[in-house]
Amino acid sequence: MNAELDRPEWTAWLLGEASTEESRRCQEALSENTALRDAVEEQRRLIASIEKVLVTNPPLLHEMQRERIYRMARSVDVQQVPVHESSRKKRHLPVWWGAAAALIVIGFWLGLSHPLVAPKGNLTYEQVSKEIALLPSSDQGFPRDNRNQVVTSTAVGGGDTLRRRDEMWQKRPADFLRLVAQRVAAEPLPNPAELPPRHPRNWLSAEQYPQAHLPIRVGQASWQWTKRNVLERQQKPHPSLVRVEEWIQAMPLGQGVHDTQEGIEIRYAWSSPATDESVRYLVLSMQNISGKTQSVNWAFIAPRSSQYRLIGFDSSMSHTTQRNAAMAAGEKVQIMLAVAFQKGSQELGAISFRVSDREFSHSLRETSEDFATVEYYLLLREMAEGLVEGKMDRARLMKQIHSLQSRVQTPEHLEGLMVMKRLCEIDAAR
């Protein structure tokens, strides 16, 4: 691969717009070229210094202008809206032109009365109400034991709100995701009373539940709320705004074992085996890379004699049991499981998935990738749980952040480390 940073593929990668294959080639090139790694680090330091100036220097705009800029930035950044891979234009300009272009766009938008224009089609901005945008992600019928109490309504709407959300997402997934992103960006941050109470999930026995249908619909609102609290308000998010499953969804899994069938890519990575415990963590990702909307579902086939638990997803929420879902081109779902193995067990289980009318199965195996991949998601989980419980082990979290800073590659992961580091600093200043 060409190692010149002004090449379009490098620009796309540094700006977070590269395809999965392009990202893989960039990472391979970095591992083989010390000079290239140094050049990339210089670019990242430049970006970090720009971010520092933008965050720490007081703005010279009045309140209405500042809020308009924030709304514009959030409407773009809040959600990766699925797009056809073939429709993305290659860039042929140096990376620093991205920052200049962003400033030009912001200046242009200051002259507009409102940044959110409803797209053409069957869905409008008004239809995707605030109540729908506030709904947590559905577990899509993931098993629950008898200790999980299920309710039929939430603090932001009952069964009809859930039904309308699911119908919109099913019929026009790409439009729905974009409109939810706009709604989350434009609305004031939620009040704690607007969000449903949280109830943790319990462990499930493989003997009782040998197969578990996995969630297909996961949002990213919680991560965007967190960023807004940290960057705009310089404060920690309220515990009710923190949803660990949406943090995990916001950070793309770029490494690990992968399998592609009928344009649907399954990707996963295991945590490193621990010597003092039998619990390991599995990050699973499914993405539609076919360029067209497809009907999909997937399930986890548990190892015999094991126990497992879905990370996040409020267990008290009423949920749909619809198995197949329309996944838009480019759309991704990513979840995390904890699996407790019987001592000495070698079996890791499997993933089964259906694409349209065809069924596939993939036996899980050990990942040969750097275990920093799953360490990052474990850090997300620990940080989120610390915010919810009000007990952050700052020394431990900062140590993990510093350890991962030189090992993660993607812009989303680097941004996540920056936000988590700032959260620790805010907590220490209290």
Side-chain angles (χ1 to χ4, degrees):
M1 178 177 178
N2 196 304
E4 297 178 7
L5 280 185
D6 61 352
R7 297 288 298 175
E9 57 266 30
W10 281 107
T11 305
W13 179 70
L14 285 167
L15 293 177
E17 298 181 357
S19 66
T20 302
E21 179 61 24
E22 287 173 335
S23 296
R24 183 188 65 78
R25 292 201 302 268
C26 289
Q27 290 163 6
E28 287 179 353
L30 283 175
S31 65
E32 299 170 355
N33 191 325
T34 303
L36 184 59
R37 287 200 301 270
D38 293 340
V40 167
E41 288 303 316
E42 183 178 352
Q43 292 285 355
R44 287 174 175 164
R45 284 194 294 271
L46 174 61
I47 294 171
S49 65
I50 293 173
E51 289 175 343
K52 182 177 180 180
V53 170
L54 292 175
V55 171
T56 59
N57 284 4
L60 302 177
L61 303 172
H62 59 69
E63 187 63 31
M64 184 178 296
Q65 288 174 320
R66 287 202 303 271
E67 177 58 22
R68 191 169 293 171
I69 290 173
Y70 278 137
R71 289 165 69 182
M72 170 55 188
R74 294 194 299 261
S75 69
V76 173
D77 181 56
V78 70
Q79 174 85 47
Q80 284 188 335
V81 179
V83 295
H84 292 272
E85 188 64 33
S86 59
S87 68
R88 178 173 57 80
K89 295 181 179 179
K90 296 290 185 179
R91 296 175 178 263
H92 294 274
L93 293 174
V95 175
W96 64 269
W97 274 97
L103 294 175
I104 293 171
V105 169
I106 289 173
F108 172 77
W109 277 100
L110 282 173
L112 299 181
S113 59
H114 198 285
L116 302 176
V117 179
K120 296 179 181 179
N122 295 339
L123 282 182
T124 66
Y125 181 71
E126 289 73 22
Q127 285 177 293
V128 183
S129 65
K130 178 182 178 182
E131 289 72 24
I132 288 176
L134 290 176
L135 286 174
S137 301
S138 170
D139 66 13
Q140 208 74 19
F142 191 90
R144 309 175 184 198
D145 68 14
N146 295 330
R147 291 174 293 174
N148 289 135
Q149 181 182 3
V150 178
V151 298
T152 57
S153 63
T154 73
V156 296
D160 185 60
T161 308
L162 287 166
R163 179 187 59 77
R164 287 189 290 115
R165 190 268 303 271
D166 292 342
E167 286 180 354
M168 291 178 185
W169 206 335
Q170 182 72 17
K171 290 179 180 179
R172 298 187 66 84
D175 287 346
F176 179 78
L177 288 171
R178 180 174 63 253
L179 291 169
V180 167
Q182 292 179 341
R183 177 69 70 177
V184 170
E187 293 288 343
L189 286 167
N191 296 317
E194 293 182 290
L195 297 169
R198 191 185 324 275
H199 298 276
R201 307 188 75 91
N202 293 315
W203 289 89
L204 300 172
S205 166
E207 279 74 16
Q208 187 174 3
Y209 302 100
Q211 178 173 298
H213 286 277
L214 299 173
I216 297 175
R217 309 297 198 194
V218 186
Q220 296 184 21
S222 177
W223 180 246
Q224 306 308 326
W225 292 333
T226 300
K227 286 168 53 178
R228 289 175 59 184
N229 271 277
V230 172
L231 301 179
E232 296 176 22
R233 297 186 175 185
Q234 301 294 305
Q235 66 183 28
K236 296 192 299 184
H238 189 277
S240 63
L241 270 65
V242 178
R243 299 169 179 168
V244 63
E245 69 275 9
E246 296 186 4
W247 286 29
I248 293 169
Q249 168 74 5
M251 305 295 165
L253 179 63
Q255 295 180 316
V257 180
H258 60 92
D259 183 20
T260 302
Q261 299 288 349
E262 299 293 319
I264 299 297
E265 181 186 68
I266 302 290
R267 187 178 292 269
Y268 64 90
W270 283 97
S271 64
S272 176
T275 56
D276 58 341
E277 59 182 23
S278 59
V279 178
R280 295 179 63 185
Y281 291 87
L282 173 65
V283 180
L284 281 163
S285 170
M286 177 170 66
Q287 184 172 18
N288 180 5
I289 60 175
S290 69
K292 62 181 180 180
T293 298
Q294 298 224 70
S295 177
V296 299
N297 69 43
W298 61 338
F300 174 62
I301 301 174
R304 287 173 294 181
S305 303
S306 69
Q307 290 186 313
Y308 60 96
R309 182 166 65 91
L310 181 63
I311 302 299
F313 295 93
D314 185 8
S315 69
S316 69
M317 277 289 297
S318 58
H319 64 284
T320 61
T321 57
Q322 183 179 9
R323 300 305 185 201
N324 285 32
M327 179 173 277
E331 188 179 352
K332 171 184 70 69
V333 56
Q334 190 165 284
I335 58 97
M336 187 175 185
L337 294 170
V339 185
F341 294 93
Q342 194 173 50
K343 187 175 182 180
S345 175
Q346 300 296 317
E347 186 181 354
L348 296 176
I351 296 296
S352 67
F353 57 106
R354 174 189 288 269
V355 184
S356 297
D357 294 326
R358 298 191 62 187
E359 292 188 3
F360 305 92
S361 180
H362 181 97
S363 296
L364 297 172
R365 60 182 188 271
E366 294 280 1
T367 53
S368 58
E369 304 285 347
D370 183 352
F371 286 115
T373 298
V374 182
E375 286 178 29
Y376 183 89
Y377 294 98
L378 292 175
L379 172 62
L380 282 176
R381 170 180 170 270
E382 185 174 347
M383 176 70 75
E385 291 180 350
L387 289 170
V388 170
E389 298 170 2
K391 300 177 181 178
M392 290 176 57
D393 188 344
R394 290 192 302 272
R396 173 180 168 82
L397 291 170
M398 287 297 287
K399 183 178 179 181
Q400 291 176 281
I401 290 170
H402 289 307
S403 171
L404 287 166
Q405 278 180 329
S406 61
R407 300 161 64 193
V408 300
Q409 298 280 334
T410 69
E412 294 89 351
H413 288 201
L414 290 168
E415 178 193 57
L417 290 177
M418 178 190 72
V419 172
M420 288 188 282
K421 183 178 180 180
R422 184 65 187 133
L423 277 168
C424 290
E425 293 170 349
I426 292 171
D427 186 66
R430 293 181 60 192

